Amino acid sequence: MITFGNMKETLLTYADDEKAKVLQGFFKTGKGEYGEGDTFAGIPVPQVRKVARQFREAPLSELTKLLSDPIHECRLLALLTMIEIFKHGDESVKQNVFETYLAHTRYINNWDLVDLSAYQIVGQYLLHKDREPLHRLSRSNYLWEQRISIVATWIYIRSSDFTDTLIIADRLQNHPHDLMQKAVGWMLREVGKKDKKALVDFLERRYMNMPRTMVRYAVEKFSPEERRKYYLKR
């Protein structure tokens, strides 16, 4: 039987202390920062993915133990393995992964953990279902659940379905945290790549009150003239 101990032991054979020091700074793990107290082993994402593919048969009960590990890459491994299970599972398996994911959001507690998993599990599961769970997450007081809600909509944007993205972006448009401002702006930018008019229509009624960081991310693909004329001179 695959255990979280097996998975952790295999993963940590790729640990790199020097890379870990770099990641500790990059992910803002200092006192008072968003990643305060997080611990890194210095393992690149492609290597974590490789290990995840090895353990695609892992029970969810063991993955939840791994997901609560203090080492960042262990939590990432748990999530990437859950994605592998989700991709290859039937509807019952997908539901179990989805429910397990939402029951453990307290451990999905950094932007990379959210961004690599939210659209592939939450977004994908709700693709042809009621998306109220997304909106419930967006109304949460927990930063990472809010980020899950907007990033999960990326999969809908790819199919030119912007409804949930724009509703959630509107709800979060005045968010005080820069990690949410960046996430909302990023998803708005993705909308604009598919339908520039949809993005412009959204921004025209709101940009004067949106945080500058959010606007800057949203209009990143606009021409310099458009950025200056419409959004960056306020």
Side-chain angles (χ1 to χ4, degrees):
M1 175 183 169
I2 297 171
T3 68
F4 83 96
N6 302 148
M7 298 181 73
K8 181 173 180 177
E9 182 178 8
T10 301
L11 180 67
L12 292 183
T13 61
Y14 302 100
D16 184 317
D17 290 343
E18 290 304 311
K19 289 180 181 176
K21 291 176 185 176
V22 173
L23 292 172
Q24 294 280 148
F26 183 74
F27 283 95
K28 308 296 184 185
T29 61
K31 186 172 178 58
E33 296 181 310
Y34 65 77
E36 180 178 352
D38 207 351
T39 303
F40 286 79
I43 306 168
V45 173
Q47 189 61 63
V48 182
R49 288 189 191 280
K50 182 178 178 180
V51 177
R53 288 192 290 271
Q54 294 176 34
F55 291 107
R56 200 166 68 199
E57 303 301 320
L60 283 177
S61 59
E62 294 301 306
L63 290 177
T64 58
K65 296 175 186 176
L66 191 64
L67 189 57
S68 66
D69 197 278
I71 298 175
H72 186 97
E73 289 91 343
C74 288
R75 302 199 302 283
L76 178 58
L77 176 59
L79 293 169
L80 294 181
T81 307
M82 288 169 69
I83 291 169
E84 289 294 318
I85 294 169
F86 185 95
K87 284 179 181 176
H88 297 91
D90 59 19
E91 186 60 23
S92 175
V93 168
K94 292 181 191 298
Q95 181 178 349
N96 285 339
V97 172
F98 169 77
E99 291 177 350
T100 299
Y101 186 97
L102 290 190
H104 294 83
T105 54
R106 63 190 179 279
Y107 302 119
I108 308 170
N109 57 355
N110 216 315
W111 60 264
D112 64 317
L113 302 179
V114 171
D115 296 356
L116 290 168
S117 64
Y119 74 99
Q120 296 202 69
I121 294 178
V122 179
Q124 181 66 49
Y125 182 74
L126 297 175
L127 186 61
H128 302 297
K129 298 180 177 66
D130 182 356
R131 296 177 190 168
E132 174 54 29
L134 285 182
H135 298 276
R136 185 171 66 250
L137 289 169
S138 74
R139 292 188 289 267
S140 169
N141 292 321
Y142 183 44
L143 170 69
W144 303 115
E145 289 189 339
Q146 293 173 323
R147 187 163 176 124
I148 288 168
S149 75
I150 189 70
V151 175
T153 69
W154 194 7
I155 197 165
Y156 314 138
I157 296 170
R158 293 175 177 184
S159 300
S160 298
D161 177 358
F162 314 134
T163 302
D164 296 285
T165 305
L166 297 179
I167 290 172
I168 293 171
D170 183 62
R171 184 175 295 135
L172 298 174
Q173 67 175 288
N174 299 123
H175 201 287
H177 202 294
D178 73 323
L179 285 176
M180 281 308 303
Q181 295 169 16
K182 291 173 181 177
V184 172
W186 167 29
M187 288 302 109
L188 289 174
R189 183 177 72 229
E190 294 301 313
V191 170
K193 289 180 183 178
K194 301 291 286 188
D195 186 337
K196 185 174 180 179
K197 184 178 184 301
L199 173 56
V200 170
D201 287 348
F202 180 89
L203 291 172
E204 285 290 347
R205 298 190 297 274
R206 299 170 177 84
Y207 77 92
M208 290 295 292
N209 297 314
M210 290 167 64
R212 182 167 293 250
T213 296
M214 190 181 293
V215 176
R216 186 174 68 249
Y217 269 62
V219 303
E220 188 177 84
K221 297 299 180 181
F222 285 15
S223 71
E225 293 76 16
E226 288 175 311
R227 293 200 301 269
R228 286 194 297 268
K229 181 177 179 180
Y230 297 112
Y231 305 115
L232 299 184
K233 286 189 177 179
R234 296 191 289 166

